[in-house]
Amino acid sequence: MFKTSNKFLIALAAVTLVFASSVQAQSSTMPAPRTGNSMYAPSSTYIGFNIGQSNLKLNNGNNLFGIERTKNIYNLYAGSYFNDFIGLEIGYADFGRFNRGGGQTIADAFNLGLVGKVPLGMSFNLLGRFGTTYGRTDVSSNIASGVVAGKETGWGGSYGVGAEFVFNPQLSAVLQFDEYNLKFAGGNRDRINTTSLGLRYRF
């Protein structure tokens, strides 16, 4: 079962995409003046790099061993917008190495999803992302820990919201909150949440 905060994050990401689509439809009949947000003009392409913190939601077996729940995350991504409000983004995220169950839990993922942008001012945007993730996990553990060891790969959902400040038509800063659903050894599925800050460059 998802917690209330997880449901809220999914809903906010979905609302951002729907609202971006609605704004695009309403503005399609009349051209809008370009502002700092024009870095996302149709066919524009951007790349971004974020760093931050990942939060592991997995259990720790029988709790005989300690667990690290936070690590640094590195996220590299690129995207292109179909219009001023909706686009497609692909990326890679390294969630780090967590000490857990007397061993290590390692996870990373490749992401593909729709992104939406809702302007809230001349240089400020609300961002949303909803898509799929191909995750890779590798768990080692002490046999007495109760944590299942092994490698797994598989598809899962991912979504997130963010805020963006546009410095100029080429460069912006972003703050993002994302969640990834990953497959772990033993058929378990669980989540890794991330909070990250980074830069985007349009070309």
Side-chain angles (χ1 to χ4, degrees), residues 48-151:
F49 181 71
N50 286 23
I51 60 175
Q53 189 173 81
S54 55
N55 188 348
L56 185 68
K57 296 300 183 181
L58 290 172
N59 64 54
N60 194 34
N62 55 29
N63 294 313
L64 289 178
F65 298 86
I67 181 172
E68 284 185 305
R69 295 197 178 275
T70 58
K71 280 291 183 180
N72 292 334
I73 178 180
Y74 305 94
N75 185 15
L76 178 66
Y77 53 94
S80 182
Y81 270 67
F82 311 130
N83 52 54
D84 288 336
F85 305 99
I86 297 292
L88 186 68
E89 185 177 286
I90 186 171
Y92 169 78
D94 183 347
F95 302 112
R97 295 170 175 259
F98 300 84
N99 293 323
R100 169 175 168 258
Q104 284 194 328
T105 295
I106 305 170
D108 64 358
F110 296 91
N111 310 300
L112 177 67
L114 288 174
V115 290
K117 173 184 72 72
V118 178
L120 298 180
M122 292 291 291
S123 299
F124 191 78
N125 301 317
L126 177 65
L127 305 175
R129 183 180 65 82
F130 201 95
T132 186
T133 289
Y134 182 75
R136 304 184 299 184
T137 61
D138 185 357
V139 178
S140 62
S141 64
N142 187 299
I143 193 171
S145 69
V147 174
V148 180
K151 297 181 180 180

Side-chain angles (χ1 to χ4, degrees), residues 27-35 38 84-85:
S27 62
S28 60
T29 58
M30 57 183 298
R34 296 294 184 188
T35 67
S38 64
D84 288 336
F85 305 99

Side-chain angles (χ1 to χ4, degrees), residues 47 121 161:
I47 58 173
V161 295

Side-chain angles (χ1 to χ4, degrees), residues 8-36:
F8 177 76
L9 188 59
I10 295 174
L12 188 55
V15 167
T16 301
L17 291 174
V18 170
F19 189 63
S21 299
S22 175
V23 172
Q24 186 274 332
Q26 294 176 11
S27 62
S28 60
T29 58
M30 57 183 298
R34 296 294 184 188
T35 67

